[in-house]
Amino acid sequence: KLNYLRGTLRTFETLSELLEVADEFLGNYVPPDKEKFSKLVNNELRRATNKISVLKNELAAAEDADLWRIRADNLSTYRYQFKDHADAEILVDNIYDGQKISIPLDKKLTIAANVQAFYKKYDKLKRSTKFIAAQIELCREEIFYLESISHALTTSATLADIDEIRAELIAGGYLKDAKKKSALSKKPQPLKFTAPDGTEILVGKNNSQNDRLTFKIAAPDDLWLHTKNITGSHVIIRSAQISDETLQLAAEIAAHFSKARNSSNVPVDYVQCKFIKKPSGAKPGFVVFTNQRTIYVTPGEGIQNILSQAQD
């Protein structure tokens, strides 16, 4: 029985909305597609993790580039001491350190042609090194981004939350657009908490909400918080004048709504919103900022009462 409705009347646009509210009060509601999207994101994370492992192996091989340059330089220096097509390998004093260095030769080529072949291999490996390093960095960024979606899925509890994540997965090319129209016309709002001194604290539940919270809802002088280099929610303190107690509380909330929620001494960056920027073309939820400071907190039992008052 939904006793909280006694004496009031609430209407719903769709049956699914009614069932969602009913199940929420029963405490067992799991939004449709949540599990499917979680599996999808976890598969993409495994793919990206495997890819970065392969790339690292390729990078290790490519980092032998300098060896081929050193061989080329030495062979060019000693070239007149050897005959073309005569040796498969030569041993000379390295012009850089005086130590013996072995240089393999292709007997089908002249000494001069071997020198040129070594320099070409060096150039190719150097280019490959830069390319692979760039690919590794892109892969790391994708992993961090996918972890942010995975984090959002763990905290999502409504159809509207899942619809926002669905849209993000489609926009990112991870999910095909099934042209499914949401029955929910109203965008979900960030979580809202009230500190003991009355200050309002807002928390984004996914990347779409994080962007909207940071760049649409927050004022320039509001304080923005986020776990340092750790996947988590954007947190906003709606005030220009903030007590140490409220800052501590908001930082603990930021740590709680992050991948480090069960850790201690979690670093949380904080800065006024006017110092937050979103690079052109950046993925949802990604920002850059300056002038930040860092506070270290351990989410504890002290915030449980605050968390229980969460409002959408």
Side-chain angles (χ1 to χ4, degrees):
K1 294 172 63 178
L2 299 181
N3 293 323
Y4 85 105
L5 291 176
R6 186 178 297 157
T8 66
L9 176 65
R10 180 172 175 182
T11 60
F12 300 90
E13 293 183 6
T14 66
L15 178 61
S16 64
E17 284 186 71
L18 184 150
L19 291 174
E20 177 183 328
V21 172
D23 280 346
E24 282 179 329
F25 278 92
L26 289 174
N28 63 353
Y29 180 72
V30 177
D33 292 332
K34 179 174 180 175
E35 184 177 353
K36 181 177 75 173
F37 292 165
S38 293
K39 288 181 179 179
L40 170 65
V41 171
N42 286 335
N43 286 337
E44 290 295 330
L45 275 168
R46 281 194 292 272
R47 179 195 60 77
T49 301
N50 291 336
K51 181 179 178 181
I52 207 170
S53 178
V54 171
L55 288 170
K56 285 180 177 179
N57 290 334
E58 292 179 358
L59 182 62
E63 285 175 345
D64 287 335
D66 281 338
L67 174 61
W68 291 98
R69 177 186 58 79
I70 291 170
R71 286 172 173 171
D73 290 348
N74 275 278
L75 186 57
S76 180
T77 299
Y78 294 112
R79 58 183 294 189
Y80 297 110
Q81 297 182 21
F82 302 94
K83 294 181 179 180
D84 293 337
H85 315 294
D87 302 297
E89 185 177 12
I90 61 173
L91 191 67
V92 298
D93 294 329
N94 191 331
I95 59 176
Y96 293 108
D97 60 15
Q99 301 295 314
K100 293 294 184 180
I101 180 173
S102 176
I103 303 176
L105 299 175
D106 185 344
K107 292 178 67 175
K108 297 189 295 292
L109 301 177
T110 64
I111 298 296
N114 270 282
V115 171
Q116 293 305 312
F118 291 166
Y119 280 131
K120 285 182 180 180
K121 188 160 188 174
Y122 164 73
D123 289 338
K124 181 179 179 180
L125 287 172
K126 287 298 287 185
R127 290 194 301 271
S128 177
T129 299
K130 292 180 180 179
F131 174 77
I132 294 172
Q135 289 300 304
I136 288 175
E137 184 58 31
L138 288 173
C139 207
R140 284 175 177 153
E141 291 175 2
E142 182 180 21
I143 288 173
F144 192 81
Y145 173 63
L146 288 168
E147 285 179 343
S148 74
I149 300 179
S150 178
H151 167 73
L153 283 165
T154 63
T155 60
S156 62
T158 68
L159 289 173
D161 291 337
I162 293 299
D163 276 348
E164 286 197 323
I165 294 173
R166 182 201 313 277
E168 185 174 350
L169 289 170
I170 291 172
Y174 298 105
L175 185 68
K176 290 184 178 180
D177 187 356
K179 304 298 181 184
K180 179 179 178 180
K181 293 184 178 180
S182 171
L184 303 176
S185 59
K186 187 177 179 181
K187 287 186 176 180
Q189 296 302 307
L191 294 174
K192 183 188 300 183
F193 303 94
T194 303
D197 64 4
T199 303
E200 187 176 83
I201 300 172
L202 303 178
V203 180
K205 291 177 287 183
N206 55 52
N207 287 324
S208 296
Q209 287 184 33
N210 286 337
D211 280 348
R212 197 158 64 247
L213 175 59
T214 300
F215 298 107
K216 300 293 185 181
I217 298 175
D221 289 335
D222 288 347
L223 202 66
W224 178 93
L225 302 91
H226 192 284
T227 43
K228 184 180 182 70
N229 299 324
I230 300 171
T231 301
S233 297
H234 291 200
V235 175
I236 297 293
I237 304 177
R238 303 295 315 263
S239 176
Q241 301 296 323
I242 300 167
S243 67
D244 291 342
E245 292 76 15
T246 297
L247 174 61
Q248 175 77 20
L249 173 62
E252 289 187 29
I253 290 174
H256 176 82
F257 287 96
S258 80
K259 195 176 179 181
R261 67 185 302 169
N262 296 318
S263 302
S264 58
N265 293 320
V266 180
V268 177
D269 286 334
Y270 62 95
V271 66
Q272 285 183 305
C273 290
K274 61 187 174 185
F275 297 111
I276 308 288
K277 304 294 181 185
K278 188 170 188 67
S280 176
K283 290 183 180 295
F286 180 81
V287 298
V288 294
F289 47 90
T290 57
N291 294 29
Q292 75 273 20
R293 300 177 70 182
T294 304
I295 183 174
Y296 291 81
V297 298
T298 299
E301 295 181 0
I303 66 168
Q304 294 309 311
N305 290 335
I306 295 295
L307 296 176
S308 66
Q309 62 166 261
Q311 301 174 33
D312 285 319

